[in-house]
């Protein structure tokens, strides 16, 4: 089974909606393959005359940026599957929601 299908089946198995997630899953799979390719490249360039002089390579920068994007897409897919880290309502959001409901209830009484 290919990776994209595996991801979409996981999301739909958890009750998530997969209608719009095909391209997101495709990007996720692409990033996985690119991260694996980038891991094979050197991340640090060392001056042969002075080993104390080291410099990050473009591959290191690309890896770091893509890893951040990968983590963001993973969060999107987790939320779609209902496994997201933010499934619990924060106390601040609960307070704001209760306040909004109270305000809308008072508006009808005036």
């Amino acid at each position: 089974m290919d990776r994209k299908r595996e991801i979409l089946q996981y999301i739909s198995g958890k009750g998530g909606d997969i209608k719009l997630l095909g391209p997101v899953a495709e990007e996720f799979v692409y990033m996985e393959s690119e991260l694996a390719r980038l891991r094979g490249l050197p991340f640090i360039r060392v001056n042969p005359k002075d080993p104390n002089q080291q410099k990050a390579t473009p591959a290191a920068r690309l890896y770091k940026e893509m890893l951040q994007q990968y983590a963001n897409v993973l969060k999107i897919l987790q939320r779609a599957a209902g496994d997201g880290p933010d499934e619990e309502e924060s106390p601040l959001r609960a307070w704001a929601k209760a306040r909004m409901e109270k305000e809308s209830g008072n508006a009808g009484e005036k």
Side-chain angles (χ1 to χ4, degrees), residues 3-105:
R3 182 77 169 129
K4 179 182 171 185
R5 185 173 292 131
E6 180 183 340
I7 292 167
L8 292 175
Q9 281 183 350
Y10 176 77
I11 292 169
S12 66
K14 293 282 191 166
D17 185 16
I18 62 169
K19 292 176 187 169
L20 299 174
L21 294 176
V24 177
E26 196 170 308
E27 284 298 314
F28 186 74
V29 171
Y30 169 75
M31 283 189 254
E32 282 181 339
S33 66
E34 278 298 300
L35 286 170
R37 184 185 68 79
L38 288 170
R39 273 193 300 268
L41 300 174
F43 287 177
I44 299 175
R45 185 177 303 135
V46 179
N47 185 343
K49 295 179 182 176
D50 184 5
N52 292 325
Q53 289 183 337
Q54 300 177 0
K55 189 177 187 181
T57 64
R61 183 181 54 80
L62 287 171
Y63 184 82
K64 179 182 172 187
E65 290 173 4
M66 188 164 288
L67 189 60
Q68 182 61 47
Q69 292 172 346
Y70 179 82
N72 291 337
V73 173
L74 179 61
K75 287 178 187 176
I76 291 169
L77 293 172
Q78 282 180 322
R79 284 189 190 136
D83 289 342
D86 300 334
E87 290 302 313
E88 226 176 88
E89 190 173 43
S90 73
L92 178 60
R93 286 190 184 182
W95 175 83
K97 184 178 177 183
R99 178 97 175 162
M100 293 292 286
E101 289 172 357
K102 182 179 176 185
E103 292 293 324
S104 65

